[in-house]
C-alpha cells in the first residue's frame, strides 16, 4: 500500500466517528436554524429566517411590530458579563498561584501542579454540587454564620449571579493557572534580577518585567476560561437554579419547554461564532508567543 | 569604596550546607578595576551577587562608602550589574533597555532620553537604538548590557563573566573597550572571570579565589611573578614546581639547595620559614636551555612543541624524574638546534624563583 | 541580622496561592465529609456513618445508572483509544501532507466547540435517525462519548509517539521485521504508556460527562451524572455526596496514577 493510502486507512475510523458524532451534525444545526418550529418539538421543513431574527428581535403577537428581544439580550449580556468577571477573578487568583508554583524548587513544582490538576480532572457536576452545598441557605457557610451570631437569617447566595460567578471561577480556575504557569516556568529569572538591579521595586518588576513576559500565558488563560464560561450549562443550571439563565440554559430551553428547535439552533450557532472569534484571538496569542520565544 | 568584612555565605542548611564563601575580607578602592579570578565554584559569582544584593550574606558585613548594605534591597543600591547572560529585556527596544534604570529612578523623560543617547554613543550603538534586543548580535547585546548598567551612573559596576559568550576576536576587542569605559567613566569595576589572561590584561588588582576564600590579592604583575602559594602559581600561567631545601634566609631573599645539588637564590615571599623543605615555583620563560654543564639543572629533552610565537621544551630532570617545562621565544637567529632525547642543561634566571607557602 | 532580599518573592502572592489551594479543596473535602454523615443533612454533622453508602448501594436507580455509566465509559474509552492509536500513527513522525490541518481540526473539534452546541446538534441528528430506523438503544450514547473522548485519547498517544526514536523501527525493519511485526514487537510496547494514559483519560472524561449525555439519552438511560442532576429538584440527602465521593475517588486515583506513570517513564 502506498503511504497516503495507509494514512487514509489509519485515519478513517477516527474521522468517520468524528464526522458522524461531532462535526457533521453541526451542518444539520445550520439547516435547522432556517426552518419553522413544529408544534410539538422538531421542525416543519419550510425555509424561514425567523429563527435568526428571533435571536435578537421579537414580533408582537397582536400588532406584528418588531422590537428587541430583551429576554434574549439580557441572557447574552449576563453570559458575557459573567464570563468576563470569571476570567478576571480567575486571573486575580490564578496569576499569583502560578507565580508561586513556578518559583518552587524544580522537583516540587510538578506536585503543586498535580494539586491544581486533580480538581480539574474530577467531575464538573460534583464540583458544582460542592459549591452549592457550601452556599445554600442551609449550607455550611450560612450555618456557620448563624451559629456565630453574625446573621440571623441565612444570606441568599444560591440562585444569584454571585453564586454563578463563584461556581464558574471554582470550576474553571485551573484553566487559567495552567497556561500562565507554562509561561512563568520558562521565565528567565536573571531578567527579574536585572530589573531589581536597575532600581525597579517589587511592584515595578512585576508590572514592567514579569507581566509583559508572561502576557501570552495570561491571554491564553483568559480565553481558556472565557470560552467554556460562555457555553456553560451545568454550573448556571445548578447554581442559577433556572432563574438566572446563561446562553447554554437558554438554548436548552428552546429544545425543552419552549419547543422552538430552529431558534435553539440559531442560538447555538451564535454561541459557536462568538467562541470561534475568541479562539482566533487565542491562536493569534499563542502564535505570538511562539515568535517571541523562537 | 567597598569593604567586605569577614563575609560567609552558606547555601542550604545543616550538614549538607554548602559554604560558598568562607570569611572573605577585601577592600575594593574607588575607581579601581578589580577582578575576582578563580575556577568555577570558587565563590566569585556569589561574592558579586552579595554586593548586588541578590543574596544576603550568612554572616559578615558589606559596606559601600562606609554604609552597611545589609538592609538595602538591590533597587536601593547604587550598584549595577552586567549579567553573564546579559539579561536584556526581550520585550523592550535597545533604547528602552538602556533607559530602564533611569526611568525606574523617576528621572524626567528628557533626561532619560539624553542619557540614553549619550550611553549608546559611548558603546557605539546609536544606530541600533530602536531594534529589539533579539535582533542584534551577541557582541552588540554585550554593549547594550554595558550601556544599560552604566546609564544610571552607579558607584560600582559589577560584571559577571560578561565576555565568556563572545568569540576570541570579539573578546579581545571588548577587553580594551571595557578598560577604556572604566577610565572614561571613573566608575569602580568589579569584574568576575575564570580567564587568567583576561584578568591580567585588564585589572588594576586581582583577587584569586578558590574554595570560597581569597588566596591572594595584588596587581597583575605581583600575582604572576610572586604567587603566594601553589594554587595561585598553578592557576595563573604555567609553572614548574621544584622541591628544595632552604639553607639560608635574609629578608625576602632565600638561599635554596635544589634536588640535583645546585644552589640558587629565590624570593621568600610570604613564607615565614628560615630552613627546611620548601617548594620553589619557576615560570617556564624564566629558564634557559644551555649546554649540559652550564646550568643549575640537567635533564633529558623529551618533547619539543612548537607554538608559533614560542617553543616549549619538555625536560625530565636527571635523578629526580620531575618534568620541567621551558619556554623560549622563537626568533630568526636560531640557537643551536637541539634534538629530542638529547641531554641538556637548564639555567635559571637569578632570583626568578618564588618560594611558596605550603 | 536583617532578612536578605529574595528576588523570587512577591508580597502577598504566597498567601493568595495558599488561599487558592484551600478554596480548591475545601468544598470537595466538605462534600466528602458529609457523605459520612449519620443524619439527613449535608451541612449539619450528626455523627459518622456509612448509611448513605449502603442506601446508595441498594438504590435500584443508582445501581442501573452505575452499570450504564461504566458500560458506556469502558466501551467509549476502548473505541476512542483504538481509533486514536491509528490516527496518531498516521499523523505523527510523518512529513507534512495535504489535509493535515483538516485532520487535526477534526480531531480537536470536540475541544473547541462548546459542549452545549455539540449536545444540541447530536440531539437533532440522532432524533432524525431514531425516526428513520426506530433504534433507541445505547449506541447513540456510546458513539457520542467516543467522539468527544478521541482528542483526550489522542493527545498522550501522540506525545508518546513523538518522543520515540524512529531509528528503533528502522533497526527492526533492517532486521527483517515486516511492518506489522515491527509495530507489534517494537512500536506497540513503547507506545503502551501513552495508550494506557489515553484510555484512562477517556474513561474519566466519559464517566464525568453530563451535558451531551443529558441531551442524547433516551428515556430510562440515566448515567450517574444525569441521575444526580435529576435529583437536584428533590431534597438533597448525603446519598448524593456518597455517589460523588465514589466518583471523585475514581478520578483522583486515575489522575494520580497517570501523573506518576508519566513521571517514571520519562
Amino acid at each position: 500500500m502506498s503511504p497516503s493510502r495507509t494514512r487514509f486507512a489509519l485515519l478513517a475510523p477516527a474521522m468517520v466517528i468524528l464526522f458522524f458524532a461531532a462535526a457533521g451534525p453541526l451542518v444539520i444545526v445550520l439547516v435547522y436554524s432556517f426552518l419553522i418550529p413544529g408544534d410539538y418539538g422538531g421542525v416543519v421543513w419550510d425555509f424561514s429566517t425567523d429563527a435568526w431574527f428571533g435571536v435578537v428581535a421579537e414580533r408582537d403577537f397582536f400588532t406584528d411590530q418588531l422590537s428587541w428581544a430583551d429576554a434574549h439580550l439580557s441572557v447574552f449580556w449576563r453570559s458575557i458579563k459573567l464570563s468576563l468577571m470569571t476570567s478576571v477573578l480567575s486571573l486575580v487568583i490564578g496569576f499569583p498561584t502560578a507565580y508561586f508554583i513556578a518559583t518552587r524548587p524544580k522537583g516540587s513544582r510538578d506536585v503543586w501542579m498535580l494539586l491544581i490538576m486533580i480538581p480539574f480532572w474530577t467531575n464538573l457536576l460534583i464540583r458544582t454540587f460542592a459549591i452549592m452545598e457550601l452556599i445554600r441557605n442551609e449550607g455550611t457557610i450560612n450555618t456557620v454564620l448563624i451559629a456565630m451570631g453574625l446573621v440571623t437569617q441565612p444570606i441568599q447566595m444560591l440562585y444569584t449571579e454571585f453564586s454563578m460567578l463563584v461556581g464558574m471561577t471554582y470550576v474553571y480556575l485551573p484553566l487559567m493557572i495552567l497556561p500562565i504557569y507554562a509561561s512563568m516556568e520558562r521565565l528567565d529569572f536573571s531578567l527579574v534580577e536585572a530589573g531589581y538591579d536597575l532600581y525597579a521595586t517589587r511592584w515595578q518588576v512585576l508590572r514592567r518585567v514579569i507581566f509583559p513576559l508572561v502576557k501570552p500565558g495570561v491571554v491564553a488563560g483568559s480565553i481558556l476560561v472565557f470560552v467554556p464560561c460562555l457555553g456553560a450549562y451545568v454550573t448556571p443550571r445548578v447554581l442559577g437554579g433556572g432563574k438566572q439563565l446563561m446562553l447554554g440554559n437558554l438554548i436548552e430551553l428552546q429544545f425543552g419547554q419552549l419547543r422552538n428547535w430552529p431558534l435553539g439552533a440559531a442560538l447555538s450557532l451564535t454561541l459557536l461564532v462568538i467562541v470561534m472569534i475568541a479562539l482566533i484571538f487565542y491562536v493569534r496569542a499563542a502564535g505570538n508567543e511562539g515568535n517571541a520565544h523562537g | 569604596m567597598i569593604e567586605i568584612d569577614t563575609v560567609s555565605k552558606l547555601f542550604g542548611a545543616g550538614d549538607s550546607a554548602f559554604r560558598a564563601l568562607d570569611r572573605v575580607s577585601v577592600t575594593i578602592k574607588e575607581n579601581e578595576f578589580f577582578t575576582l579570578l578563580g575556577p568555577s565554584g570558587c565563590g566569585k559569582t556569589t561574592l558579586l551577587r552579595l554586593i548586588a544584593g541578590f543574596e544576603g550574606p550568612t554572616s559578615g558585613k558589606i559596606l559601600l562608602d562606609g554604609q552597611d548594605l545589609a538592609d538595602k534591597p538591590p533597587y536601593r543600591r547604587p550598584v549595577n550589574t552586567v549579567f553573564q547572560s546579559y539579561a536584556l529585556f526581550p520585550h523592550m527596544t535597545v533604547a528602552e533597555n538602556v533607559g530602564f534604570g533611569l526611568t525606574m529612578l523617576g528621572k524626567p523623560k528628557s533626561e532619560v532620553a539624553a542619557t540614553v543617547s549619550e550611553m549608546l554613543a559611548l558603546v557605539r550603538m546609536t544606530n541600533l537604538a530602536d531594534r529589539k534586543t533579539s535582533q542584534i548580535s551577541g557582541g552588540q547585546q554585550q554593549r547594550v548590557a554595558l550601556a544599560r548598567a552604566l546609564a544610571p551612573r552607579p558607584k560600582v559596576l559589577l560584571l559577571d563573566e560578561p565576555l565568556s559568550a563572545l568569540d576570541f576576536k570579539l573578546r579581545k576587542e571588548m577587553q580594551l573597550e571595557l578598560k577604556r569605559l572604566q577610565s572614561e567613566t571613573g566608575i569602580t569595576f568589579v569584574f568576575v572571570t575564570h580567564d587568567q589572561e583576561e584578568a591580567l590584561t585588564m585589572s588594576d588588582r586581582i583577587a584569586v579565589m578558590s574554595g570560597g576564600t581569597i588566596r591572594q590579592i595584588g596587581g597583575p604583575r605581583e600575582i604572576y611573578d610572586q604567587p603566594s602559594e601553589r594554587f595561585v602559581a598553578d592557576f595563573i600561567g604555567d609553572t614548574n614546581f621544584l622541591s628544595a631545601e632552604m639553607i639560608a634566609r635574609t629578608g625576602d631573599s632565600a638561599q635554596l639547595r635544589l634536588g640535583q645539588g645546585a644552589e640558587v637564590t629565590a624570593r621568600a615571599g610570604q613564607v615565614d620559614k628560615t630552613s627546611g623543605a620548601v617548594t620553589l615555583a619557576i615560570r617556564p620563560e624564566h629558564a634557559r636551555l644551555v649546554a649540559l654543564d652550564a646550568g643549575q639543572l640537567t635533564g633529558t629533552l623529551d618533547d619539543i612543541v612548537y607554538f608559533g610565537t614560542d617553543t616549549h621544551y619538555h625536560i625530565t630532570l636527571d635523578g629526580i624524574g620531575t618534568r620541567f617545562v621551558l619556554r623560549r621565544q622563537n626568533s630568526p637567529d636560531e640557537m643551536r638546534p637541539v634534538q629530542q632525547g638529547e641531554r641538556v642543561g637548564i639555567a635559571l634566571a637569578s632570583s626568578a624563583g618564588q618560594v611558596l607557602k605550603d | 541580622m536583617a532578612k536578605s532580599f529574595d528576588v523570587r518573592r512577591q508580597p502577598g502572592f504566597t498567601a493568595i496561592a495558599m488561599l487558592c489551594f484551600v478554596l480548591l479543596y475545601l468544598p470537595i473535602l466538605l462534600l466528602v465529609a458529609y457523605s459520612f454523615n449519620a443524619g439527613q443533612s449535608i451541612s449539619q454533622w450528626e455523627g459518622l456513618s456509612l448509611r448513605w453508602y449502603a442506601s446508595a448501594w441498594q438504590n435500584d436507580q443508582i445501581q442501573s445508572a452505575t452499570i450504564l455509566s461504566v458500560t458506556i465509559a469502558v466501551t467509549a474509552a476502548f473505541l476512542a483509544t483504538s481509533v486514536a492509536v491509528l490516527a496518531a500513527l498516521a499523523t505523527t513522525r510523518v512529513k507534512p501532507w495535504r489535509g493535515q490541518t483538516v485532520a487535526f481540526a477534526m480531531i480537536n473539534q470536540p475541544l473547541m466547540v462548546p459542549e452545549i452546541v455539540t449536545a444540541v446538534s447530536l440531539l437533532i441528528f440522532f432524533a432524525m435517525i431514531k425516526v428513520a430506523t426506530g433504534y433507541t438503544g445505547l449506541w447513540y450514547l456510546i458513539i457520542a462519548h467516543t467522539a468527544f473522548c478521541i482528542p483526550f485519547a489522542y493527545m498522550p498517544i501522540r506525545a508518546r509517539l513523538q518522543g520515540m526514536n524512529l531509528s528503533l523501527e528502522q533497526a527492526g525493519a533492517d532486521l527483517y521485521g515486516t511492518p506489522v511485526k515491527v509495530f507489534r514487537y517494537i512500536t506497540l510496547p513503547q507506545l503502551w504508556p501513552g495508550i494506557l494514559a489515553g484510555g484512562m483519560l477517556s474513561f474519566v472524561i466519559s464517566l464525568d460527562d453530563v451535558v451531551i449525555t443529558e441531551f442524547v439519552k433516551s428515556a430510562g438511560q440515566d448515567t450517574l451524572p444525569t441521575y444526580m442532576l435529576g435529583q437536584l429538584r428533590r431534597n438533597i440527602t448525603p446519598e448524593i455526596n456518597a455517589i460523588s465521593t465514589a466518583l471523585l475517588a475514581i478520578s483522583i486515583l486515575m489522575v494520580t496514577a497517570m501523573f506518576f506513570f508519566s513521571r517514571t517513564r520519562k
Side-chain angles (χ1 to χ4, degrees):
Chain A
M1 260 195 319
S2 74
S4 66
R5 282 189 136 179
T6 313
R7 182 163 60 221
F8 184 78
L10 289 173
L11 271 172
M15 291 301 141
V16 167
I17 293 173
L18 286 164
F19 181 78
F20 280 107
L26 290 178
V27 180
I28 303 175
V29 175
L30 182 65
V31 173
Y32 265 49
S33 70
F34 288 105
L35 299 177
I36 291 172
D39 288 337
Y40 304 101
V43 286
V44 176
W45 285 82
D46 277 322
F47 179 80
S48 161
T49 52
D50 277 2
W52 284 99
F53 274 114
V55 170
V56 291
E58 57 192 359
R59 199 182 292 276
D60 190 283
F61 189 77
F62 297 106
T63 63
D64 228 28
Q65 270 184 326
L66 273 176
S67 62
W68 291 108
D70 292 336
H72 292 177
L73 292 178
S74 75
V75 171
F76 271 101
W77 168 236
R78 181 182 299 122
S79 290
I80 291 172
K81 182 182 70 180
L82 281 177
S83 301
L84 282 175
M85 286 168 75
T86 304
S87 300
V88 171
L89 190 59
S90 302
L91 181 61
V92 168
I93 302 172
F95 188 91
T97 306
Y99 183 90
F100 170 83
I101 298 173
T103 51
R104 293 310 95 195
K106 221 176 173 66
S108 62
R109 281 181 217 161
D110 283 356
V111 180
W112 285 108
M113 277 317 282
L114 177 67
L115 284 179
I116 297 289
M117 291 315 291
I118 284 176
F120 180 66
W121 286 116
T122 58
N123 197 320
L124 182 129
L125 180 66
I126 293 175
R127 283 182 290 151
T128 310
F129 265 69
I131 290 289
M132 184 195 71
E133 294 191 4
L134 203 61
I135 64 177
R136 285 172 357 134
N137 286 359
E138 308 81 31
T140 311
I141 291 178
N142 274 318
T143 311
V144 169
L145 287 179
I146 292 172
M148 286 166 68
L150 289 173
V151 293
T152 50
Q153 291 285 312
I155 303 169
Q156 177 68 43
M157 289 181 283
L158 197 58
Y159 308 145
T160 62
E161 289 190 355
F162 169 78
S163 64
M164 291 155 81
L165 174 64
V166 169
M168 289 198 298
T169 306
Y170 181 64
V171 296
Y172 296 125
L173 181 60
L175 287 172
M176 178 65 80
I177 296 176
L178 217 59
I180 298 183
Y181 169 74
S183 292
M184 205 88 89
E185 205 198 9
R186 283 192 310 231
L187 181 70
D188 176 4
F189 261 88
S190 68
L191 294 171
V192 174
E193 289 181 353
Y196 286 124
D197 188 61
L198 294 162
Y199 312 106
T201 59
R202 290 202 190 268
W203 166 244
Q204 284 170 322
V205 163
L206 187 63
R207 201 176 76 80
R208 309 281 298 251
V209 180
I210 298 175
F211 197 79
L213 290 172
V214 300
K215 204 166 116 199
V218 172
V219 173
S222 304
I223 288 164
L224 283 181
V225 171
F226 183 78
V227 165
C229 276
L230 216 51
Y233 169 74
V234 172
T235 310
R237 174 165 164 188
V238 174
L239 298 175
K243 292 172 185 141
Q244 310 286 338
L245 296 186
M246 281 183 65
L247 265 173
N249 312 101
L250 184 64
I251 292 167
E252 194 256 359
L253 215 54
Q254 308 307 323
F255 288 91
Q257 291 169 21
L258 298 182
R259 295 201 178 122
N260 192 342
W261 286 28
L263 179 58
L267 286 168
S268 301
L269 292 175
T270 310
L271 171 63
L272 187 61
V273 168
I274 300 176
V275 165
M276 286 302 147
I277 292 170
L279 282 176
I280 288 168
F281 272 106
Y282 171 65
V283 171
R284 287 244 175 105
N288 285 344
E289 182 179 26
N291 289 342
H293 290 269
Chain B
M1 189 170 73
I2 307 170
E3 290 160 89
I4 291 155
D5 184 8
T6 46
V7 162
S8 293
K9 176 68 183 175
L10 273 75
F11 288 108
D15 293 338
S16 61
F18 171 67
R19 190 173 280 274
L21 288 175
D22 190 6
R23 284 159 291 172
V24 169
S25 291
V26 58
T27 301
I28 300 165
K29 293 178 223 154
E30 203 92 2
N31 301 346
E32 188 172 34
F33 197 120
F34 191 87
T35 297
L36 298 169
L37 173 66
S40 61
C42 71
K44 57 191 192 298
T45 297
T46 304
L47 186 54
L48 202 74
R49 290 173 62 83
L50 286 175
I51 300 172
F54 302 141
E55 319 266 359
T58 308
S59 64
K61 274 192 295 189
I62 298 173
L63 298 118
L64 179 65
D65 293 337
Q67 205 186 6
D68 194 343
L69 289 178
D71 290 329
K72 297 213 166 184
Y75 53 84
R76 295 256 153 70
R77 299 183 184 203
V79 170
N80 288 139
T81 308
V82 177
F83 290 82
Q84 184 170 16
S85 62
Y86 311 145
L88 297 179
F89 301 123
H91 55 296
M92 298 180 195
T93 63
V94 165
E96 283 166 344
N97 263 283
V98 176
F100 188 83
L102 292 166
T103 311
M104 290 299 108
L105 285 172
K107 301 280 185 235
K109 274 208 167 76
S110 56
E111 189 189 327
V112 174
T115 314
V116 166
S117 52
E118 185 192 336
M119 284 300 141
L120 287 176
L122 192 67
V123 297
R124 304 191 201 108
M125 287 284 297
T126 308
N127 53 338
L128 297 176
D130 295 325
R131 291 277 187 91
K132 284 266 179 189
T133 55
S134 55
Q135 297 167 326
I136 56 177
S137 73
Q140 290 166 335
Q141 289 182 5
Q142 165 70 73
R143 286 160 193 274
V144 175
L146 257 171
R148 186 178 73 172
L150 285 170
R153 295 258 162 219
K155 285 188 177 155
V156 180
L157 188 75
L158 307 174
L159 302 105
D160 185 8
E161 309 222 15
L163 307 181
S164 60
L166 303 180
D167 62 48
F168 181 77
K169 250 188 115 171
L170 208 52
R171 197 157 64 220
K172 290 279 159 215
E173 213 177 287
M174 282 308 292
Q175 285 178 10
L176 295 174
E177 182 96 9
L178 274 178
K179 195 73 193 143
R180 172 180 74 88
L181 282 172
Q182 199 262 330
S183 57
E184 273 179 33
T185 56
I187 292 171
T188 308
F189 276 35
V190 182
F191 185 89
V192 159
T193 183
H194 64 269
D195 183 332
Q196 39 125 349
E197 193 188 307
E198 214 165 82
L200 293 174
T201 50
M202 296 164 76
S203 318
D204 294 325
R205 282 198 306 153
I206 300 169
V208 184
M209 294 185 69
S210 166
T213 58
I214 292 180
R215 297 302 171 93
Q216 188 175 4
I217 301 177
R221 188 168 282 274
E222 184 185 344
I223 295 277
Y224 186 80
D225 284 344
Q226 300 168 39
S228 64
E229 58 180 285
R230 195 183 177 111
F231 172 81
V232 177
D234 204 20
F235 187 72
I236 297 169
D238 301 321
T239 309
N240 295 299
F241 297 105
L242 295 174
S243 304
E245 174 90 14
M246 194 185 284
I247 47 179
R249 165 149 185 192
T250 44
D252 188 32
S253 172
Q255 193 70 18
L256 306 178
R257 182 182 297 121
L258 299 177
Q260 290 178 341
E263 288 185 8
V264 293
T265 35
R267 285 184 302 269
Q270 296 164 31
V271 176
D272 39 12
K273 276 189 192 169
T274 53
S275 65
V278 292
T279 304
L280 178 67
I282 297 166
R283 296 290 181 191
E285 65 274 21
H286 291 167
R288 275 180 307 124
L289 214 52
V290 292
L292 192 55
D293 49 2
Q296 289 98 326
L297 293 166
T298 58
T300 311
L301 189 58
D302 288 332
D303 275 310
I304 303 170
V305 188
Y306 179 72
F307 274 92
T309 54
D310 48 23
T311 304
H312 292 192
Y313 300 89
H314 295 235
I315 300 153
T316 304
L317 297 181
D318 291 338
I320 316 168
T322 314
R323 168 67 61 92
F324 192 98
V325 179
L326 188 151
R327 185 155 59 212
R328 190 175 160 277
Q329 190 83 27
N330 292 330
S331 66
D333 37 310
E334 194 48 70
M335 67 166 196
R336 178 181 72 87
V338 283
Q339 301 291 324
Q340 203 172 330
E342 197 177 319
R343 291 192 63 228
V344 292
I346 301 168
L348 304 177
S350 66
S351 293
Q354 173 77 30
V355 182
L356 300 176
K357 278 196 287 191
D358 299 320
Chain C
M1 216 195 96
K3 212 171 149 243
S4 69
F5 186 84
D6 182 357
V7 289
R8 289 173 174 254
R9 210 180 74 84
Q10 279 291 340
F13 274 29
T14 304
I16 295 176
M18 288 302 126
L19 185 74
C20 173
F21 286 109
V22 170
L23 290 179
L24 275 181
Y25 281 92
L26 186 72
I28 298 179
L29 291 177
L30 279 172
L31 178 111
V32 170
Y34 280 109
S35 74
F36 298 104
N37 196 1
Q40 289 269 349
S41 167
I42 50 169
S43 50
Q44 260 161 347
W45 186 251
E46 290 170 40
L48 196 68
S49 155
L50 288 174
R51 64 179 275 206
W52 297 110
Y53 286 89
S55 109
W57 185 255
Q58 284 153 6
N59 185 325
D60 287 344
Q61 279 178 295
I62 295 175
Q63 271 183 13
S64 62
T66 308
I67 292 168
L68 196 65
S69 273
V70 172
T71 310
I72 294 171
V74 168
T75 319
F78 176 76
L79 288 176
T81 311
S82 306
V83 300
V85 170
L86 301 181
L89 286 171
T91 52
T92 316
R93 302 189 301 175
V94 292
K95 276 184 246 149
W97 45 283
R98 255 169 39 135
Q100 188 175 255
T101 325
V102 178
F104 283 140
M106 279 290 276
I107 290 168
N108 289 315
Q109 187 258 11
L111 297 179
M112 295 188 291
V113 175
E115 234 190 329
I116 185 80
V117 177
T118 309
V120 161
S121 68
L122 289 177
L123 170 72
I124 295 174
F125 179 53
F126 289 161
M128 290 168 81
I129 298 182
K130 276 178 197 171
V131 170
T133 63
Y135 174 73
T136 56
L138 214 50
W139 279 98
Y140 296 114
L141 278 173
I142 291 174
I143 293 299
H145 277 232
T146 304
F148 69 72
C149 283
I150 285 175
F152 291 96
Y154 175 80
M155 281 185 300
I157 296 170
R158 178 183 157 83
R160 182 82 197 169
L161 207 53
Q162 263 173 338
M164 266 168 55
N165 197 339
L166 205 58
S167 62
L168 290 175
E169 277 130 313
Q170 286 163 347
D174 183 55
L175 297 164
Y176 316 109
T178 59
V180 173
K181 278 188 175 159
V182 166
F183 177 75
R184 166 74 186 80
Y185 292 107
I186 295 166
T187 316
L188 198 58
Q190 288 193 83
L191 205 53
W192 202 237
I195 295 174
L196 207 61
M200 291 201 297
L201 214 52
S202 303
F203 180 80
V204 171
I205 293 290
S206 165
L207 201 63
D208 287 354
D209 179 72
V210 195
V211 182
I212 289 174
T213 313
E214 178 80 4
F215 278 74
V216 169
K217 70 178 170 119
S218 304
Q221 289 184 336
D222 262 321
T223 61
L224 275 177
T226 61
Y227 169 79
M228 286 167 64
L229 195 63
Q231 293 300 303
L232 256 184
R233 297 194 186 87
R234 311 215 171 92
N235 191 26
I236 300 172
T237 64
E239 194 177 65
I240 291 289
N241 293 33
I243 311 168
S244 300
T245 304
L247 279 174
L248 275 178
I250 294 171
S251 299
I252 292 174
L253 216 66
M254 291 225 166
V255 174
T256 316
M258 258 165 45
F259 171 76
F260 284 107
F261 210 61
S262 63
R263 214 181 193 196
T264 48
R265 290 297 180 116
K266 249 180 208 167

